[in-house]
């Protein structure tokens, strides 16, 4: 029997992390037209992919009921925002697009919020595993007594 917690009711549209990820993804999509033609399949594609990944993994992190899976999804969201910030900064240094400092600040802010979720998911996984091990030990001791 699974001790998996029941998922909390979720309305993604009301989640601040999801809202900010959507806003940043939409912003990044708005920058795609500024890329030179020779970057359509390189930097532009990477920016688009990481904006999509960020939104996707935040949605999965918010929607996943399994503590260990949430830890994984939030780790991927963290990886995606790091990559998105890197390619955004790179594109501005290459003069493909213009840097907006507010966007860098927002990316950093979202990274901090994701880090909070990573820590929560890690703590939830640890607590779940500790309880699971305690339950297993209890069953083991009962089985051991029954054999004596």
């Amino acid at each position: 029997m699974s001790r998996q917690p029941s998922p909390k009711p979720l309305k993604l549209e009301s989640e601040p992390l999801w809202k900010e990820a959507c806003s940043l993804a939409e912003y990044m999509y708005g920058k795609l037209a500024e890329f030179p033609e020779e970057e359509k399949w390189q930097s532009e594609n990477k920016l688009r992919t990481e904006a999509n990944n960020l939104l996707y993994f935040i949605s999965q992190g918010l929607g996943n009921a399994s503590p260990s899976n949430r830890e994984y999804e939030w780790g991927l969201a963290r990886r995606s925002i790091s990559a998105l910030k890197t390619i955004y900064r790179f594109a501005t240094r290459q003069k493909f697009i213009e840097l907006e400092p507010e966007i860098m600040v927002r990316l950093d802010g979202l990274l901090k919020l994701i880090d909070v979720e990573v820590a929560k998911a890690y703590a939830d996984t640890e607590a779940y595993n500790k309880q699971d091990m305690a339950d297993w030990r209890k069953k083991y001791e009962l089985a051991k007594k029954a054999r004596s």
Side-chain angles (χ1 to χ4, degrees):
M1 180 176 184
S2 174
R3 291 188 329 76
Q4 194 71 15
S6 297
K8 65 180 180 178
L10 177 69
K11 184 173 181 182
L12 281 176
E13 294 82 0
S14 65
E15 294 288 336
L17 277 164
W18 188 84
K19 287 179 185 178
E20 182 66 355
C22 279
S23 176
L24 286 167
E26 289 168 0
Y27 168 83
M28 296 298 172
Y29 264 74
K31 298 304 264 182
L32 298 177
E34 296 176 30
F35 278 83
E37 188 61 36
E38 63 271 12
E39 287 298 319
K40 293 285 180 200
W41 298 105
Q42 294 298 319
S43 301
E44 180 185 315
N45 188 46
K46 289 187 184 314
L47 189 74
R48 178 187 302 110
T49 297
E50 293 311 328
N52 282 329
N53 285 345
L54 176 64
L55 190 54
Y56 177 76
F57 291 124
I58 284 178
S59 299
Q60 286 199 319
L62 289 168
N64 206 318
S66 168
S68 62
N69 288 344
R70 272 198 319 271
E71 188 178 349
Y72 176 73
E73 304 298 354
W74 285 117
L76 292 173
R78 189 178 200 291
R79 182 186 74 185
S80 291
I81 196 164
S82 297
L84 180 60
K85 183 179 177 183
T86 299
I87 195 65
Y88 176 71
R89 189 165 187 248
F90 174 78
T92 63
R93 286 180 175 238
Q94 297 301 309
K95 310 273 191 256
F96 300 151
I97 58 178
E98 190 171 323
L99 177 82
E100 292 186 40
E102 177 194 340
I103 297 302
M104 296 296 277
V105 170
R106 287 175 61 194
L107 289 166
D108 287 340
L110 187 56
L111 177 58
K112 286 178 185 174
L113 293 174
I114 289 170
D115 281 345
V116 168
E117 294 300 325
V118 169
K120 279 197 273 185
Y122 178 79
D124 289 349
T125 299
E126 289 295 307
Y128 179 85
N129 289 341
K130 184 177 180 180
Q131 183 60 50
D132 195 45
M133 184 57 81
D135 292 348
W136 182 86
R137 283 189 178 127
K138 192 175 184 179
K139 290 176 190 174
Y140 174 76
E141 290 301 322
L142 288 173
K144 197 170 148 181
K145 279 183 183 179
R147 290 182 195 206
S148 317

